[in-house]
């Protein structure tokens, strides 16, 4: 089976990606980024074996639920431990 290259669609689905990030910000998920939402959708699609058309990809993107996104973020936080406190302290130091 040939591997899909979703990156070529990135600019084509940009409006849907921006819309999803705006929706998450509206719901209070202020740290949601286009890159994170993109990676989350790609992670969700990795399980599918059949070829995915762009309209199915956009559908997956637009129906991404906040809880699915937050679960993905949590799992990735355990895979790639970042020192959040150091980042927060650095950000606070810059704002002073």
């Amino acid at each position: 089976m040939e591997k899909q290259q979703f990156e070529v669609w990135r600019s084509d689905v940009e409006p849907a990606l921006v819309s999803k990030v705006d929706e998450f910000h509206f719901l209070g998920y202020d740290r949601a980024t286009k890159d994170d939402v993109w990676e989350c959708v790609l992670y969700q699609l990795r399980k599918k074996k059949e070829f995915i058309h762009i309209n199915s990809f956009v559908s997956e993107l637009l129906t991404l639920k906040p809880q699915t996104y937050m679960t993905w973020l949590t799992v990735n936080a355990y895979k790639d431990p970042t020192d959040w406190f150091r980042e927060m302290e650095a950000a606070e130091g810059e704002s002073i």
Side-chain angles (χ1 to χ4, degrees):
M1 179 175 159
E2 92 181 47
K3 188 173 182 177
Q4 287 198 233
Q5 297 179 3
F6 294 114
E7 288 300 323
V8 297
W9 292 343
R10 178 80 187 240
S11 62
D12 293 335
V13 302
E14 183 79 10
L17 189 57
V18 168
S19 175
K20 182 51 70 171
V21 170
D22 287 347
E23 175 189 334
F24 282 1
H25 288 178
F26 179 76
L27 294 173
Y29 299 97
D30 297 333
R31 289 186 168 209
T33 66
K34 290 189 297 186
D35 289 337
D36 282 347
V37 170
W38 176 262
E39 291 299 322
C40 180
V41 171
L42 292 182
Y43 179 80
Q44 295 298 317
L45 292 174
R46 84 192 190 306
K47 302 175 217 163
K48 301 203 183 229
K49 300 293 183 205
E50 71 276 359
F51 183 82
I52 297 169
H53 294 279
I54 192 167
N55 59 327
S56 297
F57 184 89
V58 170
S59 177
E60 289 286 334
L61 173 62
L62 292 176
T63 59
L64 179 65
K65 292 180 173 48
Q67 74 186 70
T68 303
Y69 174 70
M70 294 305 292
T71 300
W72 176 83
L73 280 178
T74 303
V75 168
N76 279 336
Y78 285 116
K79 288 181 183 176
D80 179 27
T82 301
D83 190 346
W84 292 104
F85 295 109
R86 183 178 304 152
E87 286 183 12
M88 288 174 60
E89 289 169 359
E92 288 173 2
E94 292 172 1
S95 63
I96 294 178

